[in-house]
Amino acid sequence: MSELTNVLAEAFDVASEEGTPKFEPLPAGAYVASINDIKVGPLKSRKGQAVLATWEIDDDKYGGRLIWDRIIITHESAEAMKFGRRKFRDIADACGIKETITDLSVLQGKRCLIVVKIETDPSGQYAPKNKIVRVSPIGVEKPRANGKAELNDEIPF
């Protein structure tokens, strides 16, 4: 076991080191992404459970960027649960899963088309962040800024 100390073995020159770059959310739009991690756990409020999904963008420009999504799967509020379960159903459909799901690993690595928006905190306390608003199978209509849709028939691999 090593001994802990307050003194660095080598001086850390703050002026010559690079800090963490400023985080910018992805531009709002549609992206091909894969589920690279998915778990279920209790809500902080202890009023239900949520599926926590980490999506990894697969395109060239933003490839490797991550977006985190929390989908309420059970909740004391029937309304909150309804919206979450609808979204989870959309994810299962987009992944081609038609049977009952108990093990979330069946969704791991699945590629889908996700539509993200930028969510801002009205109080200004938190930085803008991405929010996934729709999940679809790849090759379906992709919304455009003018409200019309275009067919996305590219095979992204």
Side-chain angles (χ1 to χ4, degrees):
M1 184 185 222
S2 66
E3 201 172 309
L4 298 177
T5 178
N6 294 17
V7 180
L8 294 172
E10 183 179 304
F12 184 86
D13 183 13
V14 176
S16 66
E17 297 293 334
E18 189 177 314
T20 305
K22 183 178 177 190
F23 173 79
E24 292 293 330
L26 292 170
Y31 299 91
V32 173
S34 302
I35 298 172
N36 81 355
D37 190 32
I38 190 160
K39 297 178 175 90
V40 65
L43 295 170
K44 288 180 186 177
S45 67
R46 301 285 179 202
K47 293 182 179 185
Q49 283 189 315
V51 170
L52 307 170
T54 304
W55 295 85
E56 184 173 343
I57 302 299
D58 291 344
D59 73 8
D60 291 334
K61 187 172 182 179
Y62 298 104
R65 291 280 306 265
L66 302 177
I67 299 178
W68 293 270
D69 198 10
R70 182 178 67 111
I71 305 114
I72 293 174
I73 202 78
T74 61
H75 199 276
E76 288 178 5
S77 163
E79 197 70 11
M81 191 166 71
K82 177 175 80 173
F83 289 115
R85 293 177 79 83
R86 283 181 179 169
K87 186 173 186 180
F88 193 67
R89 168 65 190 263
D90 291 346
I91 292 170
D93 285 345
C95 292
I97 307 296
K98 303 295 180 206
E99 61 275 355
T100 300
I101 298 172
T102 53
D103 183 353
L104 296 176
S105 67
V106 299
L107 301 170
Q108 192 94 20
K110 301 291 185 179
R111 299 175 83 220
C112 304
L113 183 70
I114 62 171
V115 177
V116 301
K117 71 175 189 174
I118 298 175
E119 190 174 72
T120 56
D121 175 22
S123 73
Q125 181 179 1
Y126 301 103
K129 65 180 182 176
N130 286 123
K131 179 176 179 162
I132 297 172
V133 294
R134 177 153 320 271
V135 179
S136 311
I138 296 172
V140 298
E141 289 186 334
K142 175 167 83 172
R144 291 192 299 193
N146 65 4
K148 296 184 178 178
E150 65 183 35
L151 182 61
N152 175 12
D153 59 355
E154 295 178 29
I155 300 174
F157 47 85

